[in-house]
Amino acid sequence: MPTLALVATGGTIAGAAASATDTTGYTAGALGADALLAAVPPLADVAQIRAEQLFSLDSKDMRPAHWLTLGRRVRALLDGPAIDGIVITHGTDTLEETAAFLDLTLAAAKPVVLTAAMRPATALSADGPMNLYNAACVAAHPDSRGRGVLVSFGDAIYPARGVRKCETHRVDAFAGTNAGAIGQTDPLRYFTPPPAGGGARVELPPDLAELPRVDVLYVGAGTPPALVDVMIADGARGLVLALPGNGSLPDAWEAPLAAAVARGIAVIRASRAGMGPVGRKPLDDRLGTRAAGELPASQARVALMLALAAGDPALLDLLLGDAG
Ligand code: SIN
């Protein structure tokens, strides 16, 4: 039987409310890892599980420093011969950022699987126990090796890169890129073979305490381009623009962005549309901007933080992939 590590970080999957019918007024991260395991007795037939509580956070309060701590813990667990795979329980709200951070920094064949829940553990028909069971099945399965960091949610398995929370309340809350899920959990099977190259990875200095600041600017009709300079003056070293449509840049933003890029600020065009890629356009060559490719703005931000932390802007092109 495989041995898995369960690393609990909080979230609604560990949430508790006063009433079983309350699915919004609850405290995230209230229950410990042992309580999550105790709610799913069939896990005993899947793997031996060593549980640890790393954080007890509502994931809105997750910060890049937490990603660094989690990444180091996961690395240490993966390096141990006794662990065959890892399940991380997390809040849904910023799961896509943590998943991207781990995937962009960990090179490991052993499965690392994030899962979460939309309903607190105390709710009627809570989705957390089945999600945890499925995630453990994914982490324990030999076909999950060599696929990078995975997200198991509902009945679907997504690669970390491109996954996004796309729904505020319903239980079916995640989507991948337009290519969709790469597998399903009931019965567990993958629709595609593991990727050949495994994707670019960032090697971070071992004692890094923080990541460079990158901000996402949501651009609506008439949003003032002066915000570019405001954010830079406040300390941003990179910007991701959540732009209309397929990353369409309003004309008035061109001059401030070109000036920012000339001052060494990295800028990525992403979309506020929620789904769909943002590909390179001639204006990227003109302004020195980049396109987010298949990554949502939230994950393009993580990629840019990592490229800046590694001091290697060329790495960003690899992290953003072909479409970027
Ligand atoms: C959180 O992200 O920690 C709270 C919301 C959730 O997990 O669904």
Side-chain angles (χ1 to χ4, degrees):
M1 183 177 277
T3 300
L4 302 179
L6 168 66
V7 181
T9 72
T12 294
I13 193 166
S19 145
T21 53
D22 189 347
T23 56
T24 53
Y26 58 89
T27 305
L31 304 180
D34 290 342
L36 302 188
L37 282 182
V40 194
L43 282 172
D45 300 327
V46 176
Q48 290 185 330
I49 300 189
R50 300 182 186 173
E52 59 184 81
Q53 191 75 40
L54 191 62
F55 314 124
S56 295
L57 286 170
D58 186 317
S59 77
K60 68 181 170 53
D61 296 318
M62 191 79 73
R63 298 177 54 86
H66 293 109
W67 303 339
L68 290 162
T69 302
L70 175 62
R72 286 188 192 109
R73 184 62 195 139
V74 169
R75 174 80 273 156
L77 287 165
L78 289 172
D79 286 346
I83 296 295
D84 299 301
I86 299 182
V87 173
I88 300 169
T89 53
H90 198 286
T92 60
D93 285 352
T94 65
L95 180 144
E96 67 209 48
E97 290 159 76
T98 303
F101 172 84
L102 293 174
D103 190 60
L104 293 168
T105 54
L106 288 172
K110 292 180 186 175
V112 176
V113 185
L114 287 97
T115 195
M118 288 297 283
R119 295 180 182 152
T122 48
L124 285 178
S125 194
D127 52 331
M130 193 68 187
N131 283 351
L132 178 57
Y133 177 79
N134 284 340
C137 291
V138 173
H141 202 285
D143 289 354
S144 301
R145 291 178 63 88
R147 293 182 179 272
V149 173
L150 299 170
V151 174
S152 174
F153 199 88
D155 298 323
I157 308 169
Y158 302 100
R161 293 188 204 196
V163 76
R164 66 212 61 193
K165 184 172 180 179
C166 58
E167 161 64 44
T168 55
H169 282 83
R170 287 202 319 252
V171 168
D172 189 12
F174 281 84
T177 65
N178 284 340
I182 56 166
Q184 66 174 40
T185 48
D186 189 18
L188 203 161
R189 71 182 181 92
Y190 285 95
F191 312 138
T192 57
R201 300 283 184 296
V202 181
E203 192 79 41
L204 292 176
D207 51 354
L208 193 67
E210 260 304 342
L211 292 178
R213 175 172 153 190
V214 173
D215 293 326
V216 177
L217 281 175
Y218 186 100
V219 180
T223 299
L227 285 178
V228 170
D229 288 333
V230 171
M231 303 318 288
I232 296 169
D234 195 52
R237 291 187 46 206
L239 295 174
V240 176
L241 306 179
L243 292 163
N246 64 357
S248 300
L249 186 73
D251 291 348
W253 285 67
E254 291 202 10
L257 285 183
V261 172
R263 286 163 58 196
I265 302 297
V267 179
I268 300 178
R269 288 185 308 106
S271 176
R272 65 182 205 186
M275 290 297 290
V278 173
R280 278 192 78 77
K281 292 181 179 178
L283 72 79
D284 291 311
D285 296 327
R286 209 167 64 238
L287 304 180
T289 50
R290 289 181 173 83
E294 295 285 354
L295 299 186
S298 58
Q299 293 192 334
R301 172 175 174 258
V302 177
L304 180 49
M305 291 166 118
L306 290 171
L308 291 172
D312 183 359
L315 189 58
L316 187 58
D317 295 323
L318 291 174
L319 299 179
L320 294 174
D322 292 342

